[in-house]
Coordinates of all heavy atoms in Angstrom, one line a residue:
M1 N 1.8 7.3 -7.5 CA 2.5 6.5 -6.6 C 1.6 6.1 -5.4 O 1.6 4.9 -5.0 CB 3.7 7.2 -6.1 CG 4.7 6.4 -5.2 SD 4.2 5.9 -3.6 CE 4.1 7.4 -2.7
K2 N 0.9 7.0 -4.9 CA 0.0 6.7 -3.8 C -1.0 5.7 -4.1 O -1.3 4.8 -3.3 CB -0.6 8.0 -3.3 CG 0.4 9.0 -2.8 CD -0.2 10.3 -2.4 CE 0.8 11.3 -2.1 NZ 0.2 12.6 -1.8
L3 N -1.6 5.8 -5.3 CA -2.7 4.9 -5.7 C -2.0 3.5 -5.9 O -2.6 2.5 -5.5 CB -3.3 5.3 -7.0 CG -4.4 4.5 -7.5 CD1 -5.5 4.2 -6.5 CD2 -5.0 5.1 -8.8
M4 N -0.9 3.5 -6.4 CA -0.2 2.2 -6.6 C 0.1 1.5 -5.3 O -0.1 0.3 -5.2 CB 1.2 2.5 -7.4 CG 1.9 1.2 -7.8 SD 2.6 0.2 -6.6 CE 3.7 1.3 -5.8
V5 N 0.4 2.3 -4.3 CA 0.6 1.7 -3.0 C -0.7 1.1 -2.5 O -0.6 0.0 -2.0 CB 1.1 2.8 -2.0 CG1 1.1 2.3 -0.6 CG2 2.4 3.3 -2.3
A6 N -1.8 1.7 -2.7 CA -3.0 1.2 -2.3 C -3.4 -0.1 -3.0 O -3.8 -1.1 -2.4 CB -4.1 2.2 -2.5
V7 N -3.1 -0.1 -4.3 CA -3.3 -1.3 -5.1 C -2.5 -2.5 -4.6 O -3.0 -3.6 -4.4 CB -3.1 -1.1 -6.6 CG1 -3.1 -2.4 -7.4 CG2 -4.0 -0.1 -7.1
L8 N -1.2 -2.2 -4.3 CA -0.3 -3.2 -3.8 C -0.8 -3.7 -2.5 O -0.8 -4.9 -2.2 CB 1.1 -2.6 -3.8 CG 2.1 -3.6 -3.3 CD1 2.2 -4.8 -4.3 CD2 3.5 -2.9 -3.3
L9 N -1.2 -2.8 -1.6 CA -1.7 -3.2 -0.3 C -2.9 -4.1 -0.4 O -3.0 -5.1 0.3 CB -2.0 -1.9 0.5 CG -0.8 -1.1 1.0 CD1 -1.3 0.2 1.6 CD2 0.1 -1.9 1.9
A10 N -3.8 -3.7 -1.3 CA -5.0 -4.5 -1.5 C -4.7 -5.9 -2.0 O -5.3 -6.9 -1.5 CB -5.9 -3.8 -2.4
T11 N -3.8 -6.0 -2.9 CA -3.4 -7.2 -3.5 C -2.8 -8.1 -2.4 O -3.2 -9.3 -2.3 CB -2.4 -7.0 -4.6 OG1 -3.0 -6.2 -5.6 CG2 -2.0 -8.4 -5.2
I12 N -1.9 -7.6 -1.6 CA -1.3 -8.4 -0.6 C -2.3 -8.8 0.5 O -2.3 -9.9 1.0 CB -0.1 -7.6 0.1 CG1 1.0 -7.4 -1.0 CG2 0.5 -8.4 1.2 CD1 1.6 -8.7 -1.6
A13 N -3.1 -7.8 0.9 CA -4.1 -8.1 1.9 C -5.0 -9.2 1.5 O -5.4 -10.0 2.3 CB -4.9 -6.8 2.2
A14 N -5.5 -9.1 0.2 CA -6.4 -10.1 -0.3 C -5.7 -11.5 -0.2 O -6.3 -12.5 0.2 CB -6.8 -9.8 -1.7
G15 N -4.4 -11.5 -0.6 CA -3.7 -12.8 -0.6 C -3.5 -13.3 0.8 O -3.6 -14.5 1.0
M16 N -3.3 -12.5 1.8 CA -3.1 -12.9 3.1 C -4.4 -13.3 3.8 O -4.5 -14.0 4.8 CB -2.4 -11.8 3.9 CG -1.0 -11.6 3.4 SD -0.2 -10.3 4.3 CE 0.4 -11.2 5.7
M17 N -5.6 -12.8 3.3 CA -6.8 -13.0 4.0 C -7.7 -14.1 3.3 O -8.7 -14.4 3.8 CB -7.6 -11.7 4.0 CG -6.9 -10.7 4.9 SD -7.4 -9.0 4.9 CE -9.1 -8.9 4.6
T18 N -7.2 -14.7 2.2 CA -7.9 -15.7 1.5 C -7.1 -17.0 1.6 O -5.9 -17.0 1.7 CB -8.2 -15.4 0.1 OG1 -7.0 -15.3 -0.7 CG2 -9.0 -14.1 -0.1
S19 N -7.8 -18.1 1.4 CA -7.1 -19.4 1.4 C -6.5 -19.7 0.1 O -5.7 -20.6 -0.1 CB -8.0 -20.5 1.9 OG -9.1 -20.6 1.0
T20 N -7.0 -19.0 -1.0 CA -6.5 -19.4 -2.3 C -5.2 -18.8 -2.7 O -4.5 -19.3 -3.5 CB -7.5 -18.9 -3.4 OG1 -7.7 -17.5 -3.3 CG2 -8.9 -19.6 -3.2
V21 N -4.8 -17.7 -2.0 CA -3.5 -17.0 -2.3 C -2.8 -16.8 -1.0 O -3.4 -16.2 -0.1 CB -3.7 -15.7 -3.0 CG1 -2.4 -15.0 -3.3 CG2 -4.5 -15.8 -4.3
K22 N -1.6 -17.3 -0.9 CA -0.8 -17.1 0.3 C 0.4 -16.2 0.1 O 1.1 -16.4 -0.9 CB -0.4 -18.4 0.9 CG -1.5 -19.4 1.1 CD -2.0 -19.3 2.5 CE -3.1 -20.4 2.7 NZ -3.7 -20.3 3.9
V23 N 0.6 -15.3 0.9 CA 1.8 -14.4 0.8 C 2.6 -14.6 2.1 O 2.2 -14.3 3.2 CB 1.4 -12.9 0.7 CG1 2.7 -12.1 0.7 CG2 0.6 -12.7 -0.5
S24 N 3.8 -15.2 1.9 CA 4.6 -15.4 3.1 C 5.4 -14.2 3.4 O 5.6 -13.3 2.6 CB 5.6 -16.6 2.8 OG 6.7 -16.1 2.0
Q25 N 5.8 -14.1 4.7 CA 6.6 -12.9 5.1 C 7.9 -12.8 4.4 O 8.5 -11.8 4.4 CB 6.8 -13.0 6.6 CG 5.5 -13.0 7.5 CD 4.6 -11.8 7.2 OE1 5.1 -10.7 7.0 NE2 3.3 -12.0 7.2
A26 N 8.4 -13.9 3.8 CA 9.7 -13.9 3.1 C 9.5 -13.3 1.7 O 10.5 -12.8 1.2 CB 10.2 -15.3 3.0
Q27 N 8.3 -13.3 1.1 CA 8.1 -12.7 -0.2 C 8.0 -11.2 -0.1 O 7.5 -10.7 0.9 CB 6.8 -13.3 -0.8 CG 6.9 -14.7 -1.1 CD 5.6 -15.2 -1.7 OE1 4.5 -14.9 -1.2 NE2 5.6 -16.0 -2.7
T28 N 8.5 -10.6 -1.1 CA 8.4 -9.1 -1.2 C 7.8 -8.7 -2.5 O 8.0 -9.4 -3.5 CB 9.8 -8.4 -1.0 OG1 10.6 -8.8 -2.0 CG2 10.4 -8.8 0.4
I29 N 7.2 -7.6 -2.5 CA 6.7 -6.9 -3.7 C 7.1 -5.5 -3.6 O 6.8 -4.8 -2.6 CB 5.2 -7.0 -3.8 CG1 4.7 -8.5 -3.9 CG2 4.6 -6.2 -5.0 CD1 3.3 -8.7 -3.9
C30 N 7.8 -5.0 -4.6 CA 8.3 -3.6 -4.6 C 9.1 -3.3 -3.4 O 9.0 -2.2 -2.8 CB 7.1 -2.7 -4.8 SG 6.2 -3.0 -6.3
N31 N 9.9 -4.2 -2.9 CA 10.7 -4.1 -1.7 C 9.9 -3.9 -0.4 O 10.4 -3.4 0.6 CB 11.7 -2.9 -1.8 CG 12.7 -3.1 -2.8 OD1 13.1 -4.2 -3.2 ND2 13.3 -2.0 -3.3
M32 N 8.7 -4.4 -0.4 CA 7.8 -4.4 0.8 C 7.4 -5.9 1.1 O 6.9 -6.5 0.2 CB 6.6 -3.5 0.6 CG 6.9 -2.1 0.5 SD 5.5 -1.0 0.4 CE 4.8 -1.1 2.0
S33 N 7.6 -6.3 2.3 CA 7.1 -7.6 2.7 C 5.6 -7.6 2.9 O 5.0 -6.6 3.0 CB 7.8 -8.1 4.0 OG 7.3 -7.3 5.1
G34 N 5.0 -8.8 3.0 CA 3.6 -8.9 3.2 C 3.3 -8.2 4.6 O 2.2 -7.5 4.7
K35 N 4.1 -8.4 5.5 CA 3.9 -7.7 6.8 C 4.0 -6.2 6.7 O 3.2 -5.5 7.3 CB 5.0 -8.2 7.8 CG 4.9 -7.6 9.2 CD 6.0 -8.1 10.1 CE 5.9 -7.5 11.5 NZ 7.0 -8.0 12.3
D36 N 4.9 -5.7 5.9 CA 5.0 -4.2 5.6 C 3.7 -3.7 5.0 O 3.2 -2.7 5.4 CB 6.2 -3.9 4.7 CG 7.5 -4.1 5.3 OD1 7.6 -4.2 6.6 OD2 8.5 -4.3 4.6
L37 N 3.2 -4.4 4.0 CA 2.0 -4.0 3.3 C 0.8 -4.0 4.2 O 0.0 -3.1 4.2 CB 1.8 -4.9 2.1 CG 2.8 -4.8 1.0 CD1 2.7 -5.9 0.0 CD2 2.7 -3.4 0.3
M38 N 0.7 -5.1 5.1 CA -0.4 -5.2 6.0 C -0.4 -4.0 7.0 O -1.4 -3.6 7.5 CB -0.4 -6.5 6.7 CG -0.9 -7.6 5.7 SD -2.4 -7.4 4.9 CE -3.5 -7.4 6.3
A39 N 0.8 -3.5 7.3 CA 0.9 -2.4 8.3 C 0.3 -1.2 7.7 O -0.2 -0.3 8.5 CB 2.4 -2.1 8.6
C40 N 0.2 -1.0 6.4 CA -0.5 0.1 5.8 C -2.0 0.0 5.5 O -2.7 1.0 5.3 CB 0.2 0.5 4.5 SG 2.0 1.0 4.7
K41 N -2.4 -1.3 5.5 CA -3.8 -1.5 5.1 C -4.9 -0.7 5.9 O -5.8 -0.1 5.3 CB -4.2 -3.0 5.1 CG -5.6 -3.2 4.5 CD -5.9 -4.6 4.4 CE -7.2 -4.9 3.7 NZ -8.3 -4.2 4.2
P42 N -4.8 -0.6 7.3 CA -5.8 0.1 8.0 C -5.9 1.6 7.5 O -7.0 2.1 7.6 CB -5.3 0.0 9.4 CG -4.5 -1.2 9.5 CD -3.8 -1.3 8.2
S43 N -4.8 2.2 7.1 CA -4.8 3.6 6.7 C -5.4 3.8 5.3 O -5.6 5.0 5.0 CB -3.4 4.1 6.7 OG -2.9 4.0 8.0
V44 N -5.7 2.8 4.6 CA -6.3 3.0 3.3 C -7.7 2.3 3.2 O -8.3 2.1 2.1 CB -5.4 2.4 2.2 CG1 -4.1 3.3 2.1 CG2 -5.1 1.0 2.3
T45 N -8.2 1.9 4.4 CA -9.5 1.2 4.5 C -10.6 2.2 5.1 O -10.4 2.5 6.3 CB -9.4 -0.1 5.3 OG1 -8.4 -0.9 4.7 CG2 -10.7 -0.8 5.2
P46 N -11.6 2.5 4.4 CA -12.7 3.4 4.9 C -13.5 2.6 6.0 O -13.4 1.4 6.0 CB -13.6 3.7 3.8 CG -12.9 3.1 2.5 CD -11.8 2.2 3.0
P47 N -14.3 3.2 6.8 CA -14.7 4.6 6.7 C -13.9 5.6 7.5 O -13.8 6.7 7.1 CB -16.1 4.6 7.2 CG -16.1 3.5 8.2 CD -15.1 2.5 7.7
K48 N -13.2 5.1 8.5 CA -12.5 6.1 9.4 C -11.0 5.5 9.6 O -10.7 5.0 10.6 CB -13.1 6.2 10.7 CG -14.5 6.9 10.7 CD -15.1 7.1 12.0 CE -16.4 7.8 11.9 NZ -17.1 8.0 13.2
P49 N -10.2 5.7 8.5 CA -8.9 5.1 8.6 C -8.0 5.9 9.6 O -8.1 7.1 9.7 CB -8.3 5.2 7.2 CG -9.1 6.4 6.7 CD -10.4 6.3 7.3
P50 N -7.2 5.2 10.4 CA -6.2 5.8 11.2 C -5.1 6.4 10.4 O -4.9 6.0 9.3 CB -5.8 4.7 12.2 CG -5.8 3.5 11.3 CD -7.1 3.7 10.4
P51 N -4.3 7.3 11.0 CA -3.1 7.7 10.3 C -2.1 6.5 10.1 O -2.2 5.5 10.9 CB -2.4 8.7 11.3 CG -3.5 9.1 12.3 CD -4.4 7.9 12.3
P52 N -1.3 6.6 9.1 CA -0.4 5.5 8.9 C 0.5 5.3 10.1 O 1.0 6.3 10.7 CB 0.4 5.9 7.6 CG 0.2 7.3 7.5 CD -1.1 7.7 8.2
S53 N 0.8 4.1 10.4 CA 1.7 3.7 11.5 C 3.1 4.0 11.2 O 3.5 4.1 10.0 CB 1.5 2.2 11.9 OG 2.0 1.4 10.9
P54 N 4.0 4.1 12.2 CA 5.4 4.2 11.9 C 5.9 3.0 11.1 O 6.8 3.2 10.2 CB 6.0 4.2 13.3 CG 5.0 4.8 14.2 CD 3.7 4.2 13.6
N55 N 5.4 1.8 11.3 CA 5.8 0.7 10.6 C 5.4 0.8 9.1 O 6.2 0.5 8.2 CB 5.2 -0.6 11.1 CG 5.9 -1.0 12.4 OD1 6.9 -0.6 12.8 ND2 5.2 -1.9 13.2
C56 N 4.2 1.3 8.8 CA 3.8 1.6 7.5 C 4.7 2.6 6.8 O 5.2 2.4 5.7 CB 2.4 2.1 7.5 SG 1.7 2.6 5.9
C57 N 4.9 3.7 7.5 CA 5.8 4.8 6.9 C 7.2 4.3 6.6 O 7.8 4.6 5.6 CB 5.7 6.0 7.7 SG 4.1 6.8 7.8
S58 N 7.7 3.5 7.5 CA 9.1 3.0 7.4 C 9.1 2.1 6.1 O 10.1 2.2 5.3 CB 9.5 2.3 8.6 OG 10.8 1.7 8.4
A59 N 8.1 1.3 6.0 CA 8.1 0.4 4.9 C 8.0 1.1 3.6 O 8.7 0.8 2.6 CB 6.9 -0.6 5.0
L60 N 7.1 2.2 3.5 CA 7.0 3.0 2.3 C 8.3 3.7 2.0 O 8.6 3.9 0.8 CB 5.9 4.0 2.5 CG 4.5 3.5 2.3 CD1 3.5 4.6 2.6 CD2 4.2 2.9 1.0
A61 N 9.0 4.1 3.0 CA 10.3 4.8 2.8 C 11.3 4.0 2.1 O 12.2 4.5 1.4 CB 10.8 5.4 4.1
H62 N 11.2 2.7 2.3 CA 12.1 1.7 1.7 C 11.6 1.0 0.4 O 12.3 0.2 -0.2 CB 12.6 0.7 2.7 CG 13.3 1.3 3.8 ND1 12.7 1.7 5.0 CD2 14.6 1.7 4.0 CE1 13.6 2.2 5.8 NE2 14.8 2.3 5.2
A63 N 10.4 1.3 0.1 CA 9.7 0.7 -1.1 C 10.2 1.2 -2.4 O 10.7 2.4 -2.5 CB 8.2 0.9 -1.0
D64 N 10.1 0.4 -3.4 CA 10.4 0.8 -4.8 C 9.1 1.5 -5.3 O 8.2 0.9 -5.7 CB 10.7 -0.4 -5.6 CG 11.0 -0.1 -7.1 OD1 10.6 1.0 -7.6 OD2 11.6 -0.9 -7.7
M65 N 9.1 2.8 -5.2 CA 7.9 3.6 -5.6 C 7.5 3.5 -7.1 O 6.3 3.4 -7.4 CB 8.1 5.1 -5.2 CG 8.2 5.3 -3.8 SD 6.8 4.7 -2.9 CE 7.1 5.4 -1.3
R66 N 8.5 3.4 -7.9 CA 8.1 3.2 -9.4 C 7.4 1.9 -9.6 O 6.5 1.8 -10.3 CB 9.4 3.3 -10.2 CG 9.9 4.7 -10.4 CD 11.1 4.7 -11.3 NE 11.7 6.0 -11.3 CZ 11.8 6.7 -12.5 NH1 11.4 6.2 -13.6 NH2 12.3 7.9 -12.4
C67 N 7.9 0.9 -8.9 CA 7.2 -0.4 -8.9 C 5.8 -0.3 -8.4 O 4.9 -0.8 -9.0 CB 8.0 -1.4 -8.1 SG 7.3 -3.1 -7.9
L68 N 5.6 0.3 -7.2 CA 4.3 0.5 -6.7 C 3.4 1.3 -7.6 O 2.2 1.0 -7.7 CB 4.4 1.2 -5.3 CG 5.0 0.4 -4.2 CD1 5.1 1.3 -2.9 CD2 4.3 -0.8 -3.9
C69 N 3.9 2.3 -8.3 CA 3.1 3.1 -9.3 C 2.6 2.2 -10.4 O 1.5 2.5 -10.9 CB 4.0 4.2 -9.9 SG 4.3 5.6 -8.8
S70 N 3.2 1.1 -10.7 CA 2.7 0.2 -11.8 C 1.4 -0.4 -11.4 O 0.7 -0.9 -12.3 CB 3.8 -0.8 -12.1 OG 3.9 -1.8 -11.0
F71 N 0.9 -0.3 -10.2 CA -0.3 -0.9 -9.8 C -1.5 0.2 -9.7 O -2.6 -0.2 -9.4 CB -0.2 -1.5 -8.4 CG 0.6 -2.7 -8.4 CD1 2.0 -2.6 -8.1 CD2 0.1 -4.0 -8.6 CE1 2.8 -3.8 -8.1 CE2 0.9 -5.1 -8.5 CZ 2.2 -5.0 -8.3
K72 N -1.2 1.4 -10.0 CA -2.1 2.5 -9.7 C -3.4 2.4 -10.5 O -4.4 2.9 -10.0 CB -1.5 3.8 -9.9 CG -1.4 4.3 -11.3 CD -0.8 5.8 -11.3 CE -1.0 6.4 -12.7 NZ -0.5 7.7 -12.7
N73 N -3.5 1.8 -11.6 CA -4.7 1.8 -12.4 C -5.5 0.5 -12.2 O -6.5 0.3 -12.9 CB -4.4 2.0 -13.9 CG -3.9 3.4 -14.1 OD1 -4.4 4.4 -13.6 ND2 -2.9 3.5 -15.0
S74 N -5.1 -0.3 -11.3 CA -5.8 -1.6 -11.0 C -7.2 -1.3 -10.5 O -7.4 -0.4 -9.7 CB -5.1 -2.4 -10.0 OG -5.8 -3.5 -9.6
K75 N -8.2 -2.1 -10.9 CA -9.5 -2.0 -10.3 C -9.7 -2.9 -9.1 O -10.8 -3.0 -8.6 CB -10.5 -2.4 -11.4 CG -10.5 -1.4 -12.6 CD -11.5 -1.7 -13.7 CE -11.4 -0.7 -14.8 NZ -12.3 -1.0 -15.9
L76 N -8.7 -3.5 -8.7 CA -8.7 -4.4 -7.6 C -9.0 -3.7 -6.2 O -9.7 -4.2 -5.4 CB -7.4 -5.2 -7.5 CG -7.3 -6.2 -6.3 CD1 -8.3 -7.3 -6.5 CD2 -5.9 -6.8 -6.4
L77 N -8.4 -2.5 -6.1 CA -8.5 -1.8 -4.8 C -9.9 -1.7 -4.2 O -10.2 -2.1 -3.1 CB -7.8 -0.4 -4.9 CG -6.3 -0.4 -5.1 CD1 -5.8 1.0 -5.2 CD2 -5.6 -1.2 -4.0
P78 N -10.8 -1.1 -5.0 CA -12.2 -0.9 -4.4 C -12.8 -2.2 -4.1 O -13.6 -2.4 -3.2 CB -12.9 -0.2 -5.5 CG -11.8 0.6 -6.3 CD -10.6 -0.4 -6.3
S79 N -12.5 -3.3 -4.9 CA -13.1 -4.6 -4.7 C -12.6 -5.2 -3.4 O -13.3 -6.1 -2.8 CB -12.9 -5.5 -5.8 OG -11.5 -5.9 -5.9
L80 N -11.5 -4.7 -2.8 CA -11.0 -5.2 -1.6 C -11.2 -4.3 -0.4 O -10.6 -4.4 0.6 CB -9.5 -5.5 -1.8 CG -9.1 -6.6 -2.8 CD1 -7.6 -6.6 -3.0 CD2 -9.6 -7.9 -2.3
G81 N -12.0 -3.3 -0.6 CA -12.3 -2.3 0.4 C -11.2 -1.3 0.6 O -11.2 -0.6 1.6
I82 N -10.4 -1.1 -0.3 CA -9.3 -0.1 -0.3 C -9.8 1.2 -1.0 O -10.2 1.1 -2.2 CB -8.0 -0.6 -0.9 CG1 -7.5 -1.9 -0.3 CG2 -6.9 0.5 -0.9 CD1 -7.1 -1.8 1.1
D83 N -9.6 2.3 -0.4 CA -10.0 3.6 -1.0 C -8.8 4.1 -1.7 O -7.8 4.5 -1.1 CB -10.5 4.5 0.1 CG -11.0 5.8 -0.5 OD1 -10.4 6.3 -1.5 OD2 -11.9 6.4 0.1
P84 N -8.8 4.2 -3.1 CA -7.6 4.7 -3.8 C -7.2 6.1 -3.4 O -6.0 6.4 -3.4 CB -8.1 4.7 -5.3 CG -9.2 3.7 -5.3 CD -9.9 3.7 -4.0
N85 N -8.2 6.9 -3.0 CA -7.9 8.3 -2.6 C -7.1 8.3 -1.3 O -6.1 9.1 -1.1 CB -9.1 9.1 -2.4 CG -9.8 9.4 -3.8 OD1 -9.2 9.6 -4.8 ND2 -11.1 9.3 -3.8
L86 N -7.4 7.4 -0.4 CA -6.7 7.3 0.9 C -5.3 6.8 0.6 O -4.3 7.2 1.2 CB -7.4 6.3 1.8 CG -8.7 6.8 2.4 CD1 -9.4 5.7 3.2 CD2 -8.6 8.1 3.2
A87 N -5.2 5.8 -0.3 CA -3.9 5.3 -0.7 C -2.9 6.4 -1.3 O -1.8 6.4 -0.9 CB -4.0 4.1 -1.6
M88 N -3.5 7.2 -2.1 CA -2.7 8.3 -2.7 C -2.2 9.3 -1.7 O -1.2 10.0 -1.9 CB -3.6 9.0 -3.7 CG -4.0 8.2 -4.9 SD -2.6 7.8 -6.0 CE -2.2 9.4 -6.6
Q89 N -2.8 9.3 -0.5 CA -2.4 10.2 0.6 C -1.3 9.7 1.4 O -0.7 10.5 2.2 CB -3.6 10.6 1.4 CG -4.7 11.3 0.7 CD -6.0 11.4 1.5 OE1 -5.9 11.3 2.8 NE2 -7.1 11.6 0.9
L90 N -1.0 8.4 1.4 CA 0.0 7.8 2.3 C 1.4 8.5 2.3 O 1.9 8.8 3.3 CB 0.1 6.3 2.1 CG -1.0 5.4 2.7 CD1 -0.7 4.0 2.4 CD2 -1.1 5.7 4.2
P91 N 2.0 8.6 1.1 CA 3.3 9.2 1.1 C 3.4 10.6 1.8 O 4.3 10.9 2.5 CB 3.7 9.3 -0.4 CG 2.9 8.2 -1.0 CD 1.6 8.2 -0.3
D92 N 2.3 11.4 1.5 CA 2.3 12.8 2.2 C 2.1 12.6 3.7 O 2.7 13.3 4.5 CB 1.2 13.6 1.6 CG 1.6 14.1 0.2 OD1 2.8 14.2 -0.2 OD2 0.6 14.4 -0.6
K93 N 1.2 11.7 4.1 CA 0.9 11.6 5.5 C 2.2 11.0 6.2 O 2.4 11.3 7.4 CB -0.3 10.6 5.7 CG -1.6 11.3 5.3 CD -2.7 10.4 5.6 CE -4.1 11.1 5.3 NZ -5.2 10.2 5.6
C94 N 3.0 10.2 5.5 CA 4.2 9.7 6.1 C 5.4 10.7 5.9 O 6.5 10.4 6.4 CB 4.6 8.4 5.4 SG 3.5 7.0 5.8
K95 N 5.1 11.8 5.3 CA 6.1 12.8 5.1 C 7.4 12.3 4.4 O 8.5 12.6 4.8 CB 6.4 13.5 6.4 CG 5.3 14.2 7.1 CD 5.6 14.8 8.4 CE 4.5 15.7 9.0 NZ 3.3 15.0 9.3
L96 N 7.1 11.5 3.4 CA 8.3 11.0 2.6 C 9.0 12.1 1.9 O 8.3 13.0 1.3 CB 7.8 9.9 1.7 CG 7.3 8.6 2.3 CD1 6.9 7.6 1.2 CD2 8.2 8.0 3.3
P97 N 10.3 12.2 1.9 CA 11.0 13.3 1.3 C 10.9 13.4 -0.2 O 10.8 14.5 -0.8 CB 12.4 13.1 1.8 CG 12.5 11.7 2.1 CD 11.2 11.3 2.5
H98 N 10.8 12.3 -0.9 CA 10.8 12.3 -2.3 C 9.8 11.2 -2.9 O 10.2 10.3 -3.5 CB 12.2 12.0 -2.9 CG 13.2 12.9 -2.4 ND1 13.3 14.2 -2.8 CD2 14.3 12.8 -1.6 CE1 14.3 14.8 -2.2 NE2 14.9 14.0 -1.4
P99 N 8.5 11.4 -2.6 CA 7.6 10.5 -3.1 C 7.5 10.5 -4.6 O 7.7 11.5 -5.3 CB 6.2 10.9 -2.5 CG 6.4 12.3 -2.2 CD 7.9 12.5 -1.9
A100 N 7.3 9.3 -5.2 CA 7.2 9.2 -6.7 C 5.9 9.9 -7.1 O 4.9 9.9 -6.3 CB 7.2 7.7 -7.1
H101 N 5.9 10.4 -8.2 CA 4.6 11.1 -8.8 C 4.1 10.1 -9.9 O 4.7 10.2 -11.0 CB 4.9 12.5 -9.3 CG 5.4 13.4 -8.2 ND1 4.6 13.9 -7.3 CD2 6.7 13.8 -8.0 CE1 5.3 14.7 -6.4 NE2 6.6 14.6 -6.9
C102 N 3.2 9.4 -9.6 CA 2.6 8.4 -10.5 C 1.8 9.1 -11.6 O 1.1 10.0 -11.3 CB 1.8 7.4 -9.8 SG 2.6 6.4 -8.5

């Protein structure tokens, strides 16, 4: 689940940061808006990521974790500067009561 979150964050971040793919705030992926996903990106980006923000944790708490898990084997994350290991730690760092086990 955590890795899937990272993949999803990377995908959205890439879309928001490039001119070829646009993610509007109205679009959602796995019950997370582009804004929600971007709130988590700093926490999965090396070298010294901050703890996840309250906004990130709130978004993860309302996310469809099974959906996010479907992204866990993507090779996109490292190519976007996302550390999959950091992404896997987000649910625990956010103290989510029932994180999905991908």
